[in-house]
Amino acid sequence: VAAHRGRPAGGLRRVAQAAVVHLAHVGEARTQRLLVRAEERVAEQVAQLQGMDQLKRFFAPAVADAILSAGAKSILTPHRREICYVFVDLRGFTAFTDSAEPEEVESVLRSYHATMGALIVEYGGTVDRFAGDGILIFFNDPLPVPDAAKRAASMALHTAG
């Protein structure tokens, strides 16, 4: 290889420059692929978080977490388990609705449902259904809880007191 005063000859210099450009281009392509993969991962995580938010609108946080982490072994698949039911409603609500304005009825129901929702989560229950002021709650499913009957009775006494 010819060299002139310690510098590569013209041909070798062009090869070296081309190699640097090639390496930069390869590095750029690799960086681009890594960025695309990172963007895909972030999108997956955002979708999972959004799914979690949607689930938490309808399930207690522990149930939502179990649903997301269970994958194919969903806790929602049919199974047999002893459960305890509690039915709660507001005493005198029907008479109240006969004389109250619709906005007042809605406000009372919203407050009642919010209060009951917090108690149901606190005691480990699951809402089966709402029917006006009536709420049907069960315990020990979809997640097993220790002392389901005691929890159900304690929550019922809490709401009555």
Side-chain angles (χ1 to χ4, degrees):
V1 175
H4 182 34
R5 295 187 197 173
R7 285 186 257 154
L12 187 55
R13 182 179 299 140
R14 284 190 297 278
V15 169
Q17 288 171 340
V20 167
V21 169
H22 175 73
L23 288 175
H25 186 67
V26 168
E28 189 176 302
R30 183 169 186 261
T31 300
Q32 188 64 28
R33 284 192 308 272
L34 289 173
L35 285 174
V36 167
R37 273 193 244 145
E39 287 173 357
E40 289 170 353
R41 285 184 190 156
V42 168
E44 288 171 9
Q45 290 171 345
V46 166
Q48 188 175 25
L49 288 173
Q50 289 171 337
M52 171 87 68
D53 287 343
Q54 288 295 335
L55 283 174
K56 285 185 178 178
R57 288 183 60 210
F58 300 101
F59 294 103
V63 174
D65 291 340
I67 291 169
L68 287 174
S69 65
K73 293 181 170 184
S74 174
I75 62 169
L76 301 177
T77 57
H79 57 274
R80 288 179 158 256
R81 180 176 293 150
E82 185 176 306
I83 60 173
C84 298
Y85 266 98
V86 174
F87 178 78
V88 294
D89 70 343
L90 291 171
R91 182 178 298 136
F93 185 75
T94 302
F96 164 75
T97 61
D98 290 341
S99 62
E101 293 295 319
E103 296 81 8
E104 188 177 9
V105 171
E106 181 183 9
S107 175
V108 167
L109 280 176
R110 284 185 188 274
S111 176
Y112 168 65
H113 288 158
T115 301
M116 285 304 303
L119 281 175
I120 293 164
V121 169
E122 178 183 336
Y123 284 93
T126 300
V127 173
D128 186 1
R129 64 184 51 116
F130 291 101
D133 67 317
I135 306 173
L136 188 57
I137 307 144
F138 58 91
F139 293 80
N140 206 37
D141 201 46
L143 296 177
V145 294
D147 302 323
K150 183 178 178 182
R151 287 172 182 253
S154 296
M155 192 200 76
L157 290 171
H158 188 130
T159 62

